[in-house]
Amino acid sequence: MSFLERYRTFARKVTDAPFVYHDIMSYGALAVAVGNRWRLMYFDRTWLTPHLWILLLAQSSTYHKSSALRVARRVLRRLADRQLAWNGSHKALVEQFVAHPQGVLFASEFEQFLGVLRQNYLSGGRGLFTDLYDGEITASAYKNTGVQPTQESLAISFFAASTPAQLTDWLKERDVTAGLLPRFILVNAETQEQQFSLPPADDGTMDSELSGLQDTLLAMSGTSGEMTITPGATKLYDAWYKRLSHIALDSTRADPWKTRLATVAVKLAMLNQLDQDWHGKIGEKAMFDATTFTDKLLKHVGHICQEELALS
């Protein structure tokens, strides 16, 4: 089985969190291992790396959002040097991201991260993190830090969890229309496929499965290359993109996600292909699976923005 399949199988054994969480977090774990070492030439002759920002949402703790994040953290344990901090002074964060241009941020309580952004010592924090998502630190973020600017592309993933109610306590309308939130892939669980009354017993394979996943990511972290999209995959994506532009979502609040999800689909295609081989040519299957999964993500966004986020 591929890494994505093995990750999902393992995660479903160790926690009863909804399967959709494991589906997206399998991509997230692979993205951290890939970092900035595999890249695709994108718009404006800039390099696209497949780092992902993921926010798991659910109304109740019974959906075990934090458990899904912990599985990813365990699988990434051998890449401990890539697990970074999101709290600290502006200067400390800039220094960290320059020193570690590929990595991951975890926030099991997303509201704590939003609270840090409001602290005086992190002036300009929102701008820094939006820069981070875009893969670079702009000149204004370096100002008064004394940090030497890096020329290396940044590939920092961000995995977080929250409830819609807690999220809306912190966010304003502008945070959705032109802010930080649309940079996150929103994954809202409304069903739970299985429920464990007690922690599941080890079937004798869990340790070896976890070790195998860690081995795969460690090996992936040592590879690199430039990716291209085959003509067949390009044709498939173009047709999907044209259809995406005509989709009417449940809420106009969801519009900022449409453009970014188009890029997410390309990132998922990169990860799908790397999960198959390390040749770097994105084929039709990788692109089809990516656009199909992105269609599911788009449905989540429309429903969340219409029904869950009561923003002021």
Side-chain angles (χ1 to χ4, degrees), residues 103-303:
V104 60
L105 309 169
F106 281 94
S108 58
E109 298 291 339
F110 189 58
E111 299 72 35
Q112 293 179 4
F113 165 71
L114 295 176
V116 166
L117 288 186
R118 293 187 176 185
Q119 301 302 312
N120 291 333
Y121 65 80
L122 195 53
S123 176
R126 286 179 184 269
L128 173 61
F129 280 95
T130 53
D131 285 351
L132 196 64
Y133 175 89
D134 295 331
E136 63 178 351
I137 299 176
T138 58
S140 61
Y142 283 110
K143 188 175 181 180
N144 299 324
T145 65
V147 179
Q148 184 67 27
T150 180
Q151 300 302 312
E152 190 170 357
S153 297
L154 303 183
I156 310 295
S157 293
F158 198 153
F159 308 148
S162 183
T163 69
Q166 290 173 327
L167 198 60
T168 54
D169 286 342
W170 285 92
L171 296 174
K172 302 295 183 183
E173 189 73 29
R174 62 180 176 83
D175 293 309
V176 171
T177 56
L180 199 63
L181 193 60
R183 288 168 167 77
F184 284 87
I185 301 169
L186 303 185
V187 182
N188 188 48
E190 296 183 318
T191 60
Q192 191 175 12
E193 293 84 355
Q194 56 184 2
Q195 288 186 312
F196 299 156
S197 59
L198 292 170
D202 188 349
D203 61 1
T205 66
M206 289 185 182
D207 286 344
S208 62
E209 288 179 14
L210 176 59
S211 180
L213 292 169
Q214 293 171 336
D215 287 343
T216 298
L217 292 188
L218 192 61
M220 174 62 75
S221 70
T223 67
S224 62
E226 295 178 8
M227 305 192 74
T228 58
I229 305 177
T230 63
T234 298
K235 182 178 180 180
L236 192 155
Y237 180 83
D238 185 60
W240 174 83
Y241 183 84
K242 290 176 180 177
R243 179 170 56 83
L244 175 69
S245 65
H246 290 94
I247 293 177
L249 299 177
D250 293 340
S251 171
T252 56
R253 285 190 183 132
D255 288 342
W257 275 272
K258 286 179 65 174
T259 299
R260 290 191 170 88
L261 282 177
T263 300
V264 165
V266 178
K267 292 186 175 190
L268 297 184
M270 294 172 70
L271 295 170
N272 283 334
Q273 193 61 53
L274 290 171
D275 195 36
Q276 296 175 33
D277 59 57
W278 297 346
H279 297 156
K281 295 183 179 180
I282 300 174
E284 293 180 36
K285 184 180 187 309
M287 186 61 76
F288 176 80
D289 290 347
T291 53
T292 299
F293 190 77
T294 306
D295 282 338
K296 296 178 181 178
L297 298 176
L298 194 61
K299 292 179 180 178
H300 281 259
V301 169
H303 173 76

